[in-house]
Amino acid sequence: RCACAGIPESRSEEPARDDAAVETAEEAKEPAEADINELCRDMFSKMATYLTGELTATSEDYKLLENMNKLTSLKYLEMKDIAINISRNLKDLNQKYAGLQPYLDQINLIEEQVAALEQAAYKLDAYSKKLEAKYKKLEKR
């Protein structure tokens, strides 16, 4: 015997079985042909229902994507129209600005001339004050 108690070393040393304690197994019977056919029909019916549901869900997903794509396309068309209008208005503004440019240049030139004239007026005022002071000084002598 090995070191493990209760485990026989060979088959010839197996303990004796009590036949009364051993249950007899019933012979496995295959289900009747009609039951198998009914179960198969039921299984295929349920599988068809499941696959139909899956395909319907997928089809609905694609319809949703199609609708989303159509809406997106419409939005892009609207944005394109807006961009075209903005571009057209910008060209109009640029043309108007180009038409006003000679007048703006004249305004800038007049502004520069006014600034120069103002400086000349200040210098003339300062000079006239000096002259006045000299005249008063000469008059007092």
Side-chain angles (χ1 to χ4, degrees):
R1 293 186 82 98
C2 74
C4 301
I7 299 178
E9 285 183 14
S10 67
R11 293 186 184 255
S12 61
E13 297 180 15
E14 288 185 17
R17 292 191 183 145
D18 185 7
D19 287 336
V22 175
E23 294 183 26
T24 57
E26 290 185 32
E27 182 179 335
K29 295 181 184 176
E30 290 192 23
E33 186 82 21
D35 288 342
I36 290 175
N37 287 338
E38 183 60 33
L39 289 172
C40 285
R41 274 192 213 97
D42 186 45
M43 179 191 71
F44 283 120
S45 171
K46 289 180 180 177
M47 185 62 76
T49 302
Y50 168 75
L51 290 175
T52 301
E54 285 292 316
L55 292 174
T56 301
T58 302
S59 174
E60 293 298 320
D61 287 345
Y62 281 119
K63 286 179 185 176
L64 177 63
L65 281 173
E66 181 181 6
N67 289 336
M68 289 171 63
N69 283 339
K70 286 178 183 176
L71 287 174
T72 303
S73 175
L74 289 174
K75 284 292 181 186
Y76 279 127
L77 286 175
E78 288 175 15
M79 289 170 61
K80 177 185 142 201
D81 291 341
I82 290 170
I84 288 171
N85 286 334
I86 289 173
S87 174
R88 188 178 305 123
N89 290 337
L90 185 61
K91 285 180 184 176
D92 290 345
L93 284 174
N94 283 336
Q95 287 175 350
K96 288 177 183 177
Y97 181 77
L100 288 175
Q101 190 61 48
Y103 301 110
L104 295 173
D105 291 340
Q106 285 179 358
I107 290 171
N108 287 338
L109 182 62
I110 290 170
E111 185 180 4
E112 289 172 7
Q113 289 173 348
V114 166
L117 186 60
E118 186 180 18
Q119 290 300 318
Y122 285 135
K123 287 180 182 177
L124 185 60
D125 186 46
Y127 181 72
S128 66
K129 287 180 182 178
K130 282 182 188 178
L131 276 179
E132 184 181 2
K134 280 185 180 181
Y135 176 74
K136 286 185 180 181
K137 188 176 178 184
L138 287 175
E139 202 174 61
K140 286 184 182 179
R141 281 193 206 174

